[in-house]
DNA sequence: CGGCATCCTGGGGGATACTG
DNA sequence: CAGTATCCCCCAGGATGCCG
């Protein structure tokens, strides 16, 4: 492994513990819709309806609740204009922006390899990284 | 936004479409346990029981199913030794290793800011990134 | 030890209708 | 337009038990 996760684990091994805040954040950010909503906001502030249209398949309920969660987490900001008809814009906070910088490379990688993975036969099982000599029971 | 998500979106805007493979991968990787399992494997191959012990709160069922999913995705390899008592080791595949390289910085960031976010009052709502002049209805 | 099989429950999440 | 409210369903996921 090129990345020293050991260091991370030493400092934040609590990530593996149930009560750790990391778990919560992970659950919010990595939730089914969390990533997509955050990702959809990377262009800048957009309106509720636009968000809904951009994220295919999301229901009003989930969009609302996801936005509320992310807002409570301080990752997304909500700004409503006292107009009629009502207009509300959502945007990433500075914190959310930082997060997306980390999330960006990941999304790119996933997008690039999605087909490989989705189409993955179990043929790839042989491609083990462990350099051990042992029988494959399977 | 410092990252050019626009480029990504142009090429892979399907990420927002329901049938897109990206969605599937995201759901698997970003699932409640997916990240933690992958993360726990970054030290190298470890045994089933060890995994279970490392990931606090995971049930046998979820560990098994998560491992099977990730294995089918070609991100994790499974190697069983024909011994008695049985021994099975799991490890990241090359693909899984690549993924974790992208996931690493994210995890570090999350771990570092988890407390901020978890403890986030709605006070942070004011910290909007949009430089617009408008009334805050809330 | 390393699992499946089974049962069961909570809440994630969709559909629809209504409101400011 | 931008939500909230309500109903309801489904399955993620925990608990338990058994097997190779």
């Amino acid at each position: 492994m090129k990345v020293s996760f050991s260091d991370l684990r030493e400092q934040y091994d609590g990530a593996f513990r149930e009560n750790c805040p990391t778990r919560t954040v992970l659950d919010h950010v990595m939730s089914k819709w969390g990533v997509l909503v955050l990702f959809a906001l990377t262009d800048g502030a957009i309106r509720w309806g636009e968000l809904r249209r951009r994220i295919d398949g999301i229901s009003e309920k989930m969009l609302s609740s996801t936005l509320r969660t992310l807002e409570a987490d301080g990752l997304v900001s909500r700004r409503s204009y006292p107009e009629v008809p009502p207009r509300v814009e959502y945007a990433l906070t500075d914190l959310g922006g930082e997060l997306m910088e980390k999330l960006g490379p990941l999304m790119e990688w996933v997008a690039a390899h999605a087909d490989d993975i989705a189409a993955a036969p179990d043929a790839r099982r042989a491609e083990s990284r462990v350099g051990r000599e042992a029988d494959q029971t399977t």
Side-chain angles (χ1 to χ4, degrees), chain A:
Chain A
M1 221 50 37
K2 297 89 179 182
V3 189
S4 69
F5 290 104
S6 301
D7 300 345
L8 173 59
R9 194 170 298 114
E10 285 169 14
Q11 300 169 28
Y12 303 104
D13 62 342
F16 285 112
R17 304 206 54 81
E18 267 198 298
N19 53 350
C20 181
T22 306
R23 285 285 187 93
T24 310
V25 177
L26 240 45
D27 282 354
H28 291 180
V29 173
M30 322 288 272
S31 75
K32 180 181 177 68
W33 301 113
V35 206
L36 294 173
V37 168
L38 288 170
F39 190 53
L41 288 174
T42 49
D43 279 338
I46 64 176
R47 307 181 58 171
W48 195 87
E50 175 64 14
L51 262 178
R52 177 149 163 58
R53 253 169 283 120
R54 277 212 209 176
I55 305 173
D56 190 43
I58 196 171
S59 65
E60 298 181 355
K61 180 182 176 181
M62 288 324 293
L63 179 54
S64 290
S65 82
T66 302
L67 281 171
R68 261 185 278 113
T69 302
L70 293 177
E71 192 191 359
D73 287 342
L75 297 170
V76 164
S77 69
R78 173 204 148 103
R79 170 163 295 190
S80 87
Y81 300 80
E83 304 173 355
V84 47
R87 184 160 62 100
V88 179
E89 285 185 353
Y90 291 89
L92 293 179
T93 60
D94 291 334
L95 206 59
E98 281 184 39
L99 175 60
M100 286 315 290
E101 285 176 34
K102 311 294 176 186
L103 224 44
L106 175 62
M107 291 287 288
E108 290 175 14
W109 186 91
V110 170
H113 295 284
D115 297 318
D116 305 356
I117 297 179
D122 34 20
R124 195 183 286 113
R125 292 190 187 183
E127 184 194 312
S128 179
R129 296 185 78 247
V130 285
R132 293 287 305 276
E133 66 297 330
D135 298 51
Q136 286 293 125
T137 300
T138 317

